[in-house]
Amino acid sequence: MNASRVLIATGTAAASVVLLSGTAFAHVGVQPEGQAAKGGYATVNVKVPNERDNASTVKVEVNFPADHPLASVMPQPVPGWKAEVTRTKLDKPLELHGKQISEVVSKVTWTANGSKIGPNEFQQFPLSLGRLPENTDELVLKAIQTYDNKEVVRWIEEPKGGEEPQNPAPVLKLSAPAGDHGAPAAPASSDAKDGAKAGEKEGHAEAAADSGTDTTARVLGALGILVGIAGVAFGVLAGRRRSA
């Protein structure tokens, strides 16, 4: 009886953990295809799950940070959805990567046009972003999700104190600039080249020594066989003489 109670309690606790985990991770997020390197371009997917059992998602809005503006944001067409890019003119032009920028993308809005994100479903909305800023490690892309029952969920809260908020904003992590990983290797120094040549000579010498040792062993082996044959022949002849 006690064992049965323990099993029931354990199963209930496990089911609760699974349910709570699903709820905790069912939020709007953003994930790059590959890496999103600082100073470069990247393709990212905005993943939007439907959290309601009795309503469908019909609108998604993603806002881009004004403190790290992006000059280029291009949505990939998604069947059944209409994408709209909103650009904002700057009071004072910015210089980004050597170019004067007078307007930046402030948000992208997807509106259902023959499709919806139903219960227990999700949809990905691809974006091409660039050039990415070089003076930050992440971009916070605040999102707003609208359901067909007029409910609006604002995914705009930023993490504080290491704890995830109830409605966390999507965060795009930026990797190190591509040059840090893809820079061509530096030419070898003269010392390195001399060392390589010396190592090559030593390798040839060792190979020659191994070859000489192997040849000597073969010669000695052949001589041993000949000596053995001569000994046998001598023994046979000696035996015949005694018999005579």
Side-chain angles (χ1 to χ4, degrees), residues 1-16:
M1 181 65 69
N2 292 336
S4 299
R5 290 179 180 177
V6 170
L7 290 175
I8 293 173
T10 303
T12 303
S16 300

Side-chain angles (χ1 to χ4, degrees), residues 106-120:
S106 56
K107 68 179 179 180
V108 176
T109 305
W110 290 271
T111 305
N113 184 23
S115 182
K116 296 181 180 181
I117 307 175
N120 301 317

